[in-house]
Each structure stands twice: as C-alpha cells, then as structure tokens.
Amino acid sequence: MNVAEVLSDGFGRVREEAHGAVADLGVDQLTWRIDDSANSIAWLVWHLTRVQDDHLADAGGYEQLWTAEGWSSRFALPFDDSATGYGHTFEEVGQVRAEGSLLVGYLDVVYERTLKFLSGLTDADLDRVVDESWDPAVTLGVRLVSVISDGLQHAGQAAFVKGLLP
C-alpha cells in the first residue's frame, strides 16, 4: 500500500461507521440526547464531516464543500458558515437537526473529495507544514491522522448513542 491508500482506508472507516450510526433513524432519533449536556447523533456526524471538510480544504487549498456546493443552505443551521462545531455550547448542539439522508449525503461528498485530494499525495507531501499556530507546527501527515482519529471517535460516540436510543 502507498500513503494515499492507507489514509483513504482510514477515512473510509470513518464514513462506514458514521453511515452505520445514522442508518434507519428518523430526525427525532438522530437528535435525541441522553441529557441536555450530551451530543446527538446528528450533531456528531455533522461535526465530524464539517471538521473533515474544513481541515482538508484548508490543507488542499480548495473551498469547503459546505459552501461551494450549498450544503450550508441545505442544512439551514443558525450558525456562521465557518462553524464546525468546535466549541459549541450544549444549546448549539441541540440546534443541529437533519434527516439522515442529508447527513450522509454531505459526508459522502466530503469523503469523495477527500479521496481525490489523497490520490495525489506522496510520502514527501506529509512533511509539509499546514498549521503554524501550534508548537510544533502541524504537518499534513499529522493533520490527516488527527482528522481520522477525531472522526472515528465521533462516529463511535454516535454508535454508542444509537445503542442507547429508547
């Protein structure tokens, strides 16, 4: 395997787990929360997709699909288009309401765009610094693994919440 194939596999696992968490659920189930300070499946899947879209668009130098393809308008959330869910309050978490088809539709186009970006990567590309605001600066390789890790954690949380649905 080459670097693009390994990373593509990782992002594919995020997509697969998120699809499983959303499958066969209605909006009320997707937005159900264990309590008012917990995340819903809808928020978790929206957030993991927003982070992937945001971080890879930044690293790849292209516009996020959230705005470029009108996903922001389709979701019609009461947030700025730059919001990814990072730092959201519990009230804001509760404002993410969406059909499963919308959640996985956005996830799928972000995944396809991710695969396109990854297909051109070489080993040397992974050492490119993409974020100097951290010490040490974040390389593309570290950013990609971070997004996969974050995505898998949130997809796992969504699966857990699905298992608790009343």
Side-chain angles (χ1 to χ4, degrees):
M1 292 181 95
N2 63 36
V3 66
E5 291 168 334
V6 170
L7 292 167
S8 295
D9 181 73
F11 282 103
R13 291 170 190 241
V14 172
R15 179 180 173 264
E16 181 180 323
E17 292 301 319
H19 267 263
V22 170
D24 304 319
L25 298 180
V27 174
D28 288 341
Q29 293 167 309
L30 290 167
T31 57
W32 179 81
R33 296 158 68 185
I34 296 167
D35 63 33
D36 291 341
S37 64
N39 296 326
S40 68
I41 295 168
W43 185 88
L44 288 160
V45 173
W46 170 80
H47 169 64
L48 74 85
T49 308
R50 285 293 297 124
V51 168
Q52 185 174 331
D53 190 13
D54 174 79
H55 286 25
L56 272 77
D58 182 60
Y62 55 85
E63 185 180 353
Q64 294 178 35
L65 297 174
W66 182 247
T67 51
E69 293 191 355
W71 290 96
S72 173
S73 297
R74 287 179 232 177
F75 274 81
L77 298 173
F79 315 132
D80 186 86
D81 281 348
S82 64
T84 63
Y86 181 76
H88 265 185
T89 66
F90 296 124
E91 180 182 338
E92 290 168 322
V93 168
Q95 293 174 327
V96 176
R97 291 188 58 84
E99 295 280 345
S101 59
L102 187 62
L103 291 163
V104 298
Y106 178 44
L107 175 62
D108 287 348
V109 299
V110 169
Y111 172 71
E112 291 302 322
R113 184 62 185 94
T114 298
L115 293 182
K116 184 177 176 182
F117 173 70
L118 295 175
S119 69
L121 290 184
T122 65
D123 291 352
D125 292 327
L126 298 179
D127 292 329
R128 178 172 59 91
V129 172
V130 296
D131 189 347
E132 294 183 353
S133 67
W134 295 89
D135 185 20
V138 177
T139 63
L140 178 59
V142 168
R143 176 60 44 90
L144 293 171
V145 170
S146 175
V147 173
I148 291 169
S149 174
D150 186 64
L152 285 171
Q153 288 179 60
H154 288 311
Q157 291 166 0
F160 177 78
V161 173
K162 184 175 186 176
L164 295 176
L165 284 171

